[in-house]
Amino acid sequence: SRPGQRRSGNPRRNEDRSKTIRRRTNTDGQQGDGAYPQDSADRRQRERNIGGGVRQDFRPRPQRTYATIGIEGLAPYWFEVEGQLFLSNKGDAHLRLESSYDQRITQRLILQPAVEMNVAAQDGLNLASVGPSDIELGLWLRYEITREFAPYVGINWERKIGHTARYARDEEERASATSLVRGIRFWF
């Protein structure tokens, strides 16, 4: 070799070492050259978040205060998923599951279908019976002026299920509703 030039050693050995590093850093359950490139596995690892907090419902009566814990992250094929568990001061528990997917039409125009479902763990006063209580489907179109700032328009369809629908009808409300939405999505 020439002076000042590093010897590369055995190229096959360097290749094997890089695969070993990938196996150690890939924490999504895939081995070696799995379904996700290395940078994707790193992003998926960073995108898992756990949070907690308090939620206060003022309507319908009676008022309820909930302790909340949730997790969000990216599932395979880049679906964003989120789950939250709510436990009220009256002992009521329910779960909210959400999922969405960003489908890029252009670099800035994004179509986002989404689904959300609430599931009750037990019967409660003016609340759902055990099982799914409502479902919401949405389709939003947003234009990202920057990643942090994007106006959007969309349509939402909501449907109350089972006893929750009956409670809504008793209160002279509709069991399902469709609405148009618009707004600005921003974060910093």
Side-chain angles (χ1 to χ4, degrees):
S1 72
R2 288 184 236 145
Q5 186 180 35
R6 279 177 73 185
R7 293 189 66 198
S8 60
N10 183 345
R12 177 76 179 148
R13 184 173 179 194
N14 289 339
E15 181 182 318
D16 289 343
R17 186 181 327 141
S18 67
K19 285 185 182 179
T20 303
I21 291 170
R22 264 187 267 150
R23 281 194 181 103
R24 283 190 201 134
T25 59
N26 193 343
T27 60
D28 65 357
Q30 299 290 323
Q31 288 293 315
D33 296 326
Y36 308 105
Q38 177 60 31
D39 60 342
S40 298
D42 288 345
R43 179 172 178 212
R44 285 169 40 108
Q45 177 65 27
R46 288 191 308 267
E47 293 295 326
R48 294 185 187 129
N49 298 311
I50 296 174
V54 175
R55 170 182 146 186
Q56 175 69 44
D57 287 353
F58 297 100
R59 282 196 240 169
R61 295 213 180 266
Q63 295 183 6
R64 298 248 195 284
T65 303
Y66 295 87
T68 306
I69 187 164
I71 186 168
E72 65 181 356
L74 289 174
Y77 302 104
W78 300 101
F79 280 89
E80 293 182 30
V81 293
E82 187 173 336
Q84 299 153 350
L85 178 64
F86 300 93
L87 182 61
S88 80
N89 59 334
K90 307 288 186 193
D92 298 326
H94 71 273
L95 177 69
R96 177 178 297 148
L97 304 170
E98 301 175 43
S99 182
S100 65
Y101 183 77
D102 286 349
Q103 178 62 51
R104 290 196 175 271
I105 297 171
T106 67
Q107 287 294 325
R108 294 182 183 252
L109 194 61
I110 298 159
L111 185 67
Q112 183 183 46
V115 63
E116 177 182 313
M117 178 183 282
N118 288 299
V119 180
Q122 74 276 335
D123 292 333
L125 181 63
N126 290 336
L127 297 173
S129 60
V130 176
S133 59
D134 62 79
I135 188 167
E136 181 178 335
L137 302 174
L139 186 64
W140 302 285
L141 182 66
R142 74 176 181 268
Y143 183 80
E144 289 186 344
I145 296 169
T146 66
R147 289 208 29 96
E148 296 83 13
F149 185 81
Y152 65 88
V153 295
I155 186 166
N156 271 1
W157 175 78
E158 297 176 57
R159 172 80 174 141
K160 293 177 177 24
I161 302 169
H163 291 292
T164 308
R166 189 185 59 171
Y167 292 137
R169 287 187 201 101
D170 290 346
E171 296 292 323
E172 298 180 4
E173 295 177 10
R174 300 173 116 189
S176 70
T178 302
S179 57
L180 297 174
V181 294
R182 64 182 175 168
I184 297 173
R185 173 181 158 167
F186 66 93
W187 53 278
F188 51 91

